[in-house]
């Protein structure tokens, strides 16, 4: 193409084509056009042996030949802005991160770092098409290294390829600031673009580079796709969990080249295997996720590590595991259980949680009109007036269980409070099946119906009169049905429903449990609900039995059976069978343990590097769980060496109830944070309990995740700055593009195009084809 056009194609993209002919040439062109028109008219009356199509073709060929001749007469010229040799700078940014050590070049024989060093070898004879020697012939080259930090280096030989992360935004911004005052032809970026947050913060930097006219030419290193690889994605796990609960961890896994194979997934608690699962990959290129449940037996900060056994032939194995620091809490979660009448379920729920130091179920049973029976209350004032009638009293509980109680018992304000307990306070609400629950209890159209994960039917199937009399069987009798309980697909990995770690054993345990009964007719689950247990009737009909959904900040669950206590007292259940106790303990933990408290504290980032600042945020709310801005909040940060640093947290006015402070992390290891609040909103001693959190400082581990060469990101950098993606072997192409710079010290060069070989080939080609066609038609 360069021979045909007289200049490389990139010159036409960067330059401007003009016509340089003087005015007399335009007069000659008019005359030539007139002659060509006269010649074309000769085809109007040709010999009869020429068809109309051939006459048109001959006319088109002659017209094209005259058009090429006219173009040559107009003297087309390519105007280029070329840099002055050795008077312009080029910044070469060299990736010094640890991922450059990956050996995925030349069939696994060379690392990315080795190819980078070879491209800038001092001896050009030692490396064909080396970038360094080619750039140094025309430009003043300045080398800058980058990884988690950036800075100049004298030569690429100073690189150590040990950076803990790749920060492209900081590298490009720093290079532009450092070299922007010089005549800069452009920036050359040699990197793999790998790392989970390599592209973070690039938007503003690329806009700035484009505005300043600084072009970036990325040179990608590394393979864009590994042949065989297993990678564990970012873990989805709670920051804290109540001791004794099952930790639910969602683990994303990406597999390459492992179709039809099985991988072993392990969850380790401080090095001890807590849970094991297996995953099968149906295709070679798969992105999937599994949910693993692991027990939490010891309180305090715990490192939970997820690892996948390496597969044969993996290019990178350091992306096969992830670690999460969790706060396993040792505290008491208060829950209110309200029954409208005495029944067996109340007794056996209390028995199930008896002896569990992390659960306090305060019981309230209506024994007669206006009379209540209280159990597990902390003092004589708790629940003394029956069901709470203020938000401050109700919101003391992290969760509420509603048993056999009709909606008309509650005032409208109490119904609204129950809804706000879930949506605003972030607590949990569990409704149980009975003859006075759901539609049979008159809940349709109430605030409770908004919370429920299931829709209520328009009829209950009964014939009861408004005064309570009945002309036949009662509602409960008409709707009574026995159900065999089984977990759904979603329930098999849920911490409440998973009774055994082994999926097959878990299924068998449900098959051996007694049948349960339900008297409530319900419609389908709501769109956002998840069915975890279903009941199978005698006729094979299936219906949801245990459903959950998120509602606002909290959780709502419905258990539509009325006699779950049979799992403890059924004739076929062994005396020491733990199913009933296990189910209720896990259910109540899941329902209420994550409910926020009035004082919450969090850190960002969750894994800082030593020397990095950590932001501490506290959220403060009053007894009604409304944000307060007039309290005093202070955090105590305990370092791994035991040194305690006080950090005041101040309300910044940006968000109600949010108090912010920062501390610089000096050492690696686990740090403990304890925040306390005081003031008018925290007057009672019971409300002065500190909020705690943990974070671990250490080197980031994201360099080997998303470690494949990120060509898409590098192409975006080139496109948005006006540069181009350059292959490592295309040194001449890179120099040519940099030489056609519009910035720096430049000179204007004009290249004549009328003598380009392409134009002469076209001219003689058109005339030659016309002559051949005329000869074939017998024309002179």
């Amino acid at each position: 193409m360069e021979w045909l056009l007289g200049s490389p194609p990139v010159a036409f993209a960067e330059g401007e084509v003009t016509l340089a002919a003087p005015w007399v040439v335009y007069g000659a062109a008019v005359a030539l056009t007139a002659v060509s028109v006269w010649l074309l008219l000769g085809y109007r009356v040709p010999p009869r042996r020429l068809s109309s199509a051939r006459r048109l073709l001959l006319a088109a060929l002659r017209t094209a030949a005259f058009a090429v001749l006219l173009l040559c007469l107009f003297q087309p010229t390519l105007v280029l802005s070329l840099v002055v040799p050795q008077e312009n700078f080029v910044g070469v940014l060299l990736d010094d991160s640890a991922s450059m050590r990956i050996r995925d070049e030349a069939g696994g024989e060379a690392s990315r770092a080795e190819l980078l060093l070879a491209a800038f070898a001092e001896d050009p004879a030692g490396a064909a098409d080396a970038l360094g020697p080619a750039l140094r012939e025309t430009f003043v080259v300045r080398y800058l290294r980058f990884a988690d930090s950036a800075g100049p280096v004298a030569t690429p030989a100073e690189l150590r390829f040990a950076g803990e992360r790749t920060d492209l935004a900081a590298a490009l911004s720093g290079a532009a600031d450092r070299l922007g005052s010089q005549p800069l032809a452009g920036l050359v970026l040699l990197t793999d673009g790998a790392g989970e947050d390599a592209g973070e913060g690039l938007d503003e930097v690329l806009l700035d580079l484009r505005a300043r006219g600084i072009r970036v030419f990325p040179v990608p290193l590394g393979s864009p796709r590994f042949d065989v690889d297993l990678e564990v994605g970012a873990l989805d796990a709670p920051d804290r969990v109540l001791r004794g609960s099952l930790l639910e961890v969602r683990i994303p896994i990406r597999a390459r080249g492992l179709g039809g194979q099985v991988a072993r997934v392990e969850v380790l608690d401080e090095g001890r295997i807590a849970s094991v699962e297996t995953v099968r990959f149906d295709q070679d290129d798969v992105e999937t996720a599994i949910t693993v449940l692991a027990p939490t037996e010891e309180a305090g900060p715990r490192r939970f590590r997820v690892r996948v056994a390496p597969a044969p032939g993996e290019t990178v194995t350091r992306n096969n595991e992830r670690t999460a620091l969790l706060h396993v809490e040792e505290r008491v979660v208060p829950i209110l259980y309200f029954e409208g009448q005495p029944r067996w379920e109340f007794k056996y729920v209390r028995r199930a949680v008896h002896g569990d130091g992390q659960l306090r179920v305060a019981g309230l049973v209506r024994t007669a009109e206006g009379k209540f029976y209280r159990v597990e209350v902390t003092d004589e004032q708790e629940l003394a007036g029956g069901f709470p009638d203020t938000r401050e009293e109700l919101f003391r509980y992290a969760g509420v269980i509603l048993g056999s109680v009709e909606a008309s018992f509650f005032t409208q304000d109490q119904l609204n409070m129950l809804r706000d307990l879930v949506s605003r306070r972030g607590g949990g609400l569990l409704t149980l099946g009975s003859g006075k629950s759901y539609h049979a209890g008159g809940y349709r159209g109430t605030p409770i119906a908004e919370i429920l994960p299931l829709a209520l039917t328009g009829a209950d199937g009964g014939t009861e009169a408004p005064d309570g009399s009945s002309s036949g069987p009662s509602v409960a009798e008409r709707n009574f049905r026995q159900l065999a309980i089984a977990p759904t697909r979603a329930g098999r990995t849920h911490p409440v429903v998973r009774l055994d770690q082994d999926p097959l054993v878990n299924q068998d345990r449900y098959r051996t449990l007694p049948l349960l009964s339900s008297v409530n007719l319900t419609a389908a689950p709501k769109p956002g609900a998840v069915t975890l247990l279903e009941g199978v009737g005698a006729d094979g009909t299936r219906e949801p039995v245990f459903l959950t959904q998120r509602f606002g900040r909290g959780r709502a669950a419905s258990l539509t059976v009325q006699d779950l206590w049979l799992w403890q007292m059924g004739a076929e259940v062994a005396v020491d069978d733990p199913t009933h106790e296990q189910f209720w303990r896990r259910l109540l933990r899941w329902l209420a343990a994550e409910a926020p408290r009035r004082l919450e504290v969090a850190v960002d980032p969750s894994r800082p590097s030593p020397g990095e600042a950590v932001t501490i945020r506290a959220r403060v709310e009053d007894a009604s769980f409304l944000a307060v801005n007039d309290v005093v909040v202070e955090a105590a940060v305990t370092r791994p060496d035991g040194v305690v640093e006080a950090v005041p947290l101040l309300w910044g006015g940006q968000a109600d109830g949010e108090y912010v402070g920062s501390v610089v992390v000096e050492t690696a290891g686990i740090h403990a944070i304890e925040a306390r609040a005081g003031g008018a909103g925290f007057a009672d001693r019971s409300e002065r309990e500190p909020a705690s959190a943990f974070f671990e400082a250490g080197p980031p581990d994201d360099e080997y995740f998303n470690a494949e060469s990120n060509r898409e990101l590098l192409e975006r950098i080139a496109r948005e700055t006006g540069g181009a993606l350059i292959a490592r072997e295309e040194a001449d192409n890179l120099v040519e593009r940099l030489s056609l710079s519009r910035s720096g010290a430049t000179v204007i060069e004009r290249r004549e195009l009328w003598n380009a070989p392409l134009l002469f080939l076209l001219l003689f080609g058109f005339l030659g084809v016309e002559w051949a066609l005329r000869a074939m038609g017998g024309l002179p």
Side-chain angles (χ1 to χ4, degrees):
M1 291 299 297
E2 183 175 356
W3 179 82
L4 287 173
L5 298 174
S7 294
V10 66
F12 288 87
E14 298 292 338
E16 181 180 357
V17 177
T18 62
L19 300 177
W23 67 269
V24 293
V25 174
Y26 291 96
V30 171
L32 184 60
T33 302
V35 172
S36 64
V37 171
W38 178 77
L39 292 174
L40 288 173
L41 291 176
Y43 284 116
R44 293 184 59 188
V45 189
R48 295 180 180 178
R49 54 181 173 269
L50 284 180
S51 64
S52 298
R54 180 163 292 191
R55 292 202 307 270
L56 289 175
L57 179 59
L58 287 172
L61 288 170
R62 181 166 293 187
T63 301
F66 279 112
V68 173
L69 185 59
L70 282 174
L71 180 61
C72 292
L73 289 176
F74 290 154
Q75 298 182 24
T77 303
L78 178 62
V79 182
L80 298 173
S81 174
L82 300 177
V83 300
V84 180
Q86 298 303 321
E87 291 190 14
N88 287 270
F89 286 74
V90 167
V92 179
L93 284 72
L94 306 172
D95 192 338
D96 197 24
S97 64
S99 64
M100 296 293 288
R101 296 176 178 267
I102 297 174
R103 305 186 71 83
D104 62 344
E105 292 278 14
E109 297 296 324
S111 69
R112 302 168 181 179
E114 290 169 350
L115 292 186
L116 182 150
L117 294 176
F120 289 91
E122 292 295 333
D123 180 12
D129 299 324
L131 293 174
L135 290 172
R136 288 193 293 269
E137 287 182 4
T138 307
F139 304 98
V140 179
V141 179
R142 291 290 182 265
Y143 296 111
L144 298 99
R145 63 159 296 279
F146 71 92
D148 46 348
S149 60
V153 290
T155 66
E158 297 180 16
L159 302 179
R160 293 295 176 265
F161 306 106
E164 297 168 346
R165 60 189 295 263
T166 301
D167 192 342
L168 289 174
L172 292 171
S173 178
D177 292 341
R178 184 178 294 273
L179 301 175
S181 60
Q182 307 291 339
L184 186 63
L187 299 176
V188 180
L189 176 66
L190 281 90
T191 179
D192 53 14
E196 288 191 305
D197 57 353
E200 184 177 344
L202 269 178
D203 293 343
E204 293 184 4
V205 173
L206 295 181
L207 286 174
D208 179 63
L209 291 175
R210 190 173 187 86
R212 297 167 67 175
I214 299 176
R215 299 181 300 167
V216 182
F217 298 87
V219 180
L221 298 169
S223 171
R225 187 184 187 281
F226 295 147
D227 293 333
V228 179
D229 187 51
L230 275 172
E231 178 172 302
V232 177
L235 303 180
D236 183 4
D239 296 328
R240 66 185 190 206
V241 64
L242 197 62
R243 187 180 69 82
S245 302
L246 277 182
L247 171 65
E248 182 180 8
V249 186
R250 185 177 181 274
I251 308 170
I253 299 176
R254 188 191 68 186
R256 299 264 201 253
L258 296 172
Q261 300 188 39
V262 176
R264 174 186 169 96
V265 182
E266 299 176 341
V267 178
L268 297 92
D269 178 2
E270 296 290 349
R272 178 184 58 83
I273 295 179
S275 182
V276 177
E277 292 283 351
T278 58
V279 57
R280 175 179 292 275
F281 307 114
D282 297 330
Q283 302 175 9
D284 281 345
D285 197 343
V286 175
E287 291 188 12
T288 185
I290 64 171
T291 300
V292 177
L293 304 177
T296 54
E297 300 176 354
E298 297 185 33
R302 308 290 296 179
R303 294 185 186 91
F304 280 83
R305 182 159 55 101
V306 174
R307 68 184 182 191
V308 181
E314 272 198 83
T315 304
V316 179
T317 58
R318 292 184 60 175
N319 60 354
N320 288 36
E321 63 179 54
R322 294 266 190 172
T323 300
L325 183 68
L326 271 67
H327 182 192
V328 180
E329 296 182 303
E330 183 82 51
R331 64 183 179 93
V332 178
V333 176
I335 298 172
L336 171 60
Y337 182 3
F338 179 45
E339 278 285 2
Q341 63 188 35
R343 62 176 187 154
W344 291 111
E345 201 66 62
F346 182 82
K347 173 182 178 179
Y348 286 102
V349 168
R350 289 187 54 215
R351 177 182 291 187
V353 299
H354 179 72
D356 190 326
Q358 278 70 57
L359 295 173
R360 181 179 74 86
V361 180
L364 182 68
V365 181
R366 181 180 58 183
T367 56
E369 187 68 29
K371 295 184 179 180
F372 300 92
Y373 169 66
R374 300 179 299 155
V375 292
E376 294 295 330
V377 293
T378 56
D379 54 53
E380 61 182 12
Q381 297 299 321
E382 184 176 2
L383 302 176
F387 192 84
D389 55 7
T390 65
R391 280 167 170 74
E392 290 80 4
E393 186 180 1
L394 181 62
F395 287 5
R396 292 174 56 185
Y397 301 99
V400 173
I401 306 171
L402 294 183
S404 180
V405 56
E406 67 281 1
S408 60
F409 167 83
F410 301 103
T411 65
Q412 184 63 38
D413 191 43
Q414 287 175 321
L415 292 173
N416 291 332
M417 286 163 44
L418 283 167
R419 179 188 57 198
D420 293 344
L421 172 84
V422 180
S423 63
R424 193 174 76 194
R425 189 251 187 270
L429 176 68
L430 172 65
T431 55
L432 305 179
S434 73
K436 296 182 179 180
S437 303
Y438 307 115
H439 180 78
Y443 284 94
R444 189 169 184 238
T446 68
I448 301 299
E450 299 178 31
I451 306 172
L452 297 179
L454 48 80
L456 301 183
T457 60
D460 56 22
T463 58
E464 289 180 343
D467 61 0
S469 62
S470 176
S471 60
S474 67
V475 173
E477 291 172 335
R478 281 182 173 271
N479 297 335
F480 179 86
R481 57 205 182 278
Q482 287 191 308
L483 304 170
I485 308 302
T488 63
R489 183 174 182 178
R492 292 169 195 160
T493 56
H494 194 275
V496 176
V497 177
R498 185 78 169 265
L499 301 177
D500 194 280
Q501 291 290 337
D502 188 322
L504 297 178
V505 175
N506 188 60
Q507 289 283 82
D508 289 340
R509 286 186 64 176
Y510 278 97
R511 292 192 186 100
T512 61
L513 291 172
L515 300 179
L516 303 181
S517 65
S518 176
V519 296
N520 298 108
L521 294 181
T522 56
K526 291 180 179 177
V530 178
T531 301
L532 302 176
L533 288 175
E534 61 182 3
V536 183
D539 58 355
T541 303
R542 295 179 178 271
E543 63 179 86
V545 167
F546 179 40
L547 310 89
T548 69
Q549 75 169 3
R550 299 291 304 190
F551 188 83
R553 296 175 70 186
R555 288 172 168 167
S558 292
L559 190 60
T560 62
V561 293
Q562 63 175 351
D563 47 10
L564 192 67
W565 57 271
L566 288 175
W567 283 2
Q568 178 68 59
M569 297 303 295
E572 59 269 57
V573 178
V575 176
D576 58 350
D577 190 313
T579 300
H580 183 260
E581 174 183 312
Q582 184 181 16
F583 183 86
W584 270 108
R585 290 191 178 194
R586 290 181 177 178
L587 172 55
L588 297 183
R589 277 177 160 77
W590 172 86
L591 181 73
E594 292 187 17
R597 287 163 288 181
R598 291 179 53 192
L599 176 61
E600 296 281 345
V601 64
V603 296
D604 182 39
S606 58
R607 185 180 173 84
S609 299
E612 186 177 359
V614 170
T615 300
I616 304 174
R617 301 180 187 275
R619 171 81 179 175
V620 185
E621 296 173 317
D622 63 13
S624 297
F625 278 79
L626 297 175
V628 292
N629 302 326
D630 58 350
V631 297
V632 179
V633 185
E634 185 176 83
V637 180
T638 304
R639 301 175 183 173
D641 56 7
V643 176
V644 179
E645 180 177 356
V647 180
L649 307 183
L650 305 177
W651 179 59
Q654 296 183 349
D656 286 339
E658 184 176 274
Y659 295 76
V660 182
S662 65
V663 62
V664 176
V665 178
E666 297 182 358
T667 58
I670 296 178
H671 295 63
I673 299 177
E674 190 174 86
R676 294 180 180 273
F682 275 73
D684 297 336
R685 178 180 297 180
S686 61
E687 297 168 342
R688 291 179 178 269
E689 294 183 2
S692 58
F694 298 90
F695 68 90
E696 183 172 16
D701 57 358
D702 61 352
E703 261 302 289
Y704 291 95
F705 294 91
N706 293 335
E708 295 169 328
S709 181
N710 194 341
R711 303 296 172 89
E712 183 178 347
L713 175 63
L714 299 182
E715 287 176 353
R716 178 196 167 198
I717 293 174
R719 181 176 62 254
E720 295 190 16
T721 61
L725 198 69
I726 304 294
R728 182 176 50 84
E729 300 84 5
E730 297 178 351
D732 292 341
N733 183 22
L734 175 61
V735 173
E736 184 72 33
R737 288 181 177 274
L738 286 169
S739 298
L740 295 169
S741 174
R742 295 187 177 92
S743 59
T746 61
V747 294
I748 300 299
E749 179 177 304
R750 301 178 183 274
R751 297 180 182 178
E752 294 182 341
L753 299 178
W754 66 268
N755 56 359
L758 178 63
L759 294 180
F760 287 97
L761 288 175
L762 290 174
L763 176 62
F764 291 115
F766 292 144
L767 292 176
V769 173
E770 183 198 11
W771 178 84
L773 291 175
R774 288 173 62 87
M776 291 171 60
L779 296 178

